[in-house]
Amino acid sequence: MKDKRIGVLMGGLSAEREVSLNSGAAVHKALVAQGYDAVAIDVGRDLAAVLEREGVQAAFIALHGRYGEDGCIQGLLELLQIPYTGSGVLASALAMHKLFSKQTFTASGILTAPFRHFRRGEAVRLPELPFGLPLVVKPVQEGSSVGISIVREEQQLAPALELAFRHDNEILVEQYIKGQEVQVGILEDRPVGAIEIVPKGEFYDYEAKYTDGMAEHIFPARLSGPLYEKALQTGLAAHRSLGCSGYSRVDLLVTADGECYVLEVNTLPGMTALSLLPEIAAKGAGLSFEALVSRIIDAATLSIKAD
């Protein structure tokens, strides 16, 4: 890829814009330091024109959330026949849509928390749910724990629903699963390690993810040998079930009785100084941040070949 003009796509239009700008800046710096011809592009609705103007021949997607991680950008790049990093259109869309990803996990025999799906205007009544408190309320299509609440008491439900519907017209109400927060890094279709997250707050929320000191990272995750391997294989199975490619980070909850529940697959995991995939790759595979970025861009491809 060093003979191609690489566009680092960052920023974008989602609620995770600031995180994406940080990811993109780090990736751009790493590419330039290694001799790649890279240009940083803050993605807007004029992206197609910008890509043409800049002569971009390959794209490193450092976007997060809607319009970047959900298949939209991937579809545009397919139309323009510009190879890009990460998963293709369908896998990106499935992974971003929590309802469809959970349905895919279930169909593939992968454990995920019991849930119910609601659209705006539908009543959520605790007695009608197949599980009781505590429970988790989340938007169907958001990342970085945006709009998520843990509901432990009945009076917390209405504010949690209001927050989730502020970000999406569809939500999930899930059974709360108590367990270790474990995240598995996938690179080139193999698991490279599992890291345990111990947040300072109630769960690994937006603040804990992007504020230094708000969460402890433990590598390798504190699991027995067989359970560690089970976590790795569960992560890989989730990645493959959605048809992901390139790289991803799979979020799990590992319970005291040894069950691995898949929360979600992140097809464009963060690439900031506090991000987990670079840490997993460094500690699990001996890859520096620069080497990881190089491996990812050199694997850039298209899902659909031109006639």
Side-chain angles (χ1 to χ4, degrees):
M1 284 289 174
K2 287 192 175 179
D3 62 346
K4 296 186 182 296
R5 176 76 158 166
I6 297 169
V8 180
L9 309 187
M10 55 200 283
L13 307 171
S14 79
E16 300 173 76
R17 172 178 169 78
E18 292 305 316
V19 178
S20 172
L21 288 171
N22 290 335
S23 284
V27 167
H28 180 255
K29 180 180 178 181
L31 288 172
V32 171
Q34 295 179 92
Y36 289 88
D37 178 16
V39 58
I41 297 175
D42 189 347
V43 172
R45 301 191 187 281
D46 60 345
L47 178 59
V50 174
L51 291 170
E52 182 177 5
R53 184 179 70 235
E54 293 289 346
V56 169
Q57 297 169 289
F60 194 116
I61 307 179
L63 294 163
H64 306 308
R66 293 188 186 209
Y67 306 113
E69 200 166 357
D70 59 359
C72 291
I73 289 295
Q74 291 79 3
L76 174 63
L77 294 170
E78 292 283 351
L79 283 170
L80 298 176
Q81 286 290 286
I82 296 174
Y84 56 91
T85 55
S87 294
V89 176
L90 178 59
S92 299
L94 281 174
M96 189 68 187
H97 198 287
K98 293 180 175 63
L99 172 62
F100 295 152
S101 60
K102 285 173 76 72
Q103 290 174 336
T104 302
F105 298 150
T106 300
S108 301
I110 298 168
L111 197 60
T112 186
F115 69 95
R116 285 294 182 269
H117 168 250
F118 295 92
R119 292 183 172 86
R120 187 182 301 277
E122 294 180 341
V124 181
R125 299 182 179 89
L126 285 176
E128 296 176 3
L129 296 175
F131 44 83
L133 297 172
L135 51 80
V136 181
V137 178
K138 59 180 66 172
V140 164
Q141 295 193 82
E142 279 293 353
S144 291
S145 300
V146 172
I148 292 182
S149 303
I150 296 179
V151 175
R152 299 186 182 278
E153 301 175 358
E154 186 173 355
Q155 61 266 30
Q156 296 174 328
L157 179 60
L161 293 171
E162 180 183 358
L163 175 62
F165 277 124
R166 198 180 304 160
H167 295 279
D168 204 335
N169 289 320
E170 298 178 75
I171 66 165
L172 293 184
V173 178
E174 291 182 347
Q175 180 179 337
Y176 174 78
I177 304 295
K178 182 176 177 57
Q180 293 168 260
E181 300 200 32
V182 173
Q183 310 206 352
V184 175
I186 307 292
L187 180 63
E188 296 165 358
D189 204 43
R190 71 179 184 90
V192 293
I195 195 167
E196 181 182 351
I197 307 303
V198 184
K200 302 292 185 184
E202 189 173 25
F203 70 105
Y204 195 43
D205 59 9
Y206 187 92
E207 182 182 17
K209 288 178 178 176
Y210 303 116
T211 306
D212 196 9
M214 290 299 293
E216 182 182 2
H217 300 177
I218 302 170
F219 187 95
R222 295 174 297 182
L223 304 171
S224 67
L227 187 52
Y228 187 87
E229 181 62 26
K230 181 178 180 180
L232 293 181
Q233 293 307 314
T234 299
L236 180 60
H239 171 94
R240 287 177 172 174
S241 74
L242 300 177
C244 297
S245 55
Y247 67 112
S248 72
R249 194 195 72 239
V250 185
D251 300 352
L252 310 174
L253 285 172
V254 181
T255 63
D257 59 357
E259 296 289 2
C260 296
Y261 287 82
V262 175
L263 292 174
E264 62 180 345
V265 176
N266 300 273
T267 54
L268 293 176
M271 298 290 284
T272 72
L274 295 177
S275 296
L276 296 172
L277 181 66
E279 185 175 354
I280 294 169
K283 294 178 178 177
L287 289 175
S288 67
F289 184 81
E290 290 76 15
L292 175 62
V293 168
S294 181
R295 290 270 287 269
I296 290 172
I297 188 60
D298 286 345
T301 188
L302 286 164
S303 297
I304 306 169
K305 304 301 181 185
D307 294 333

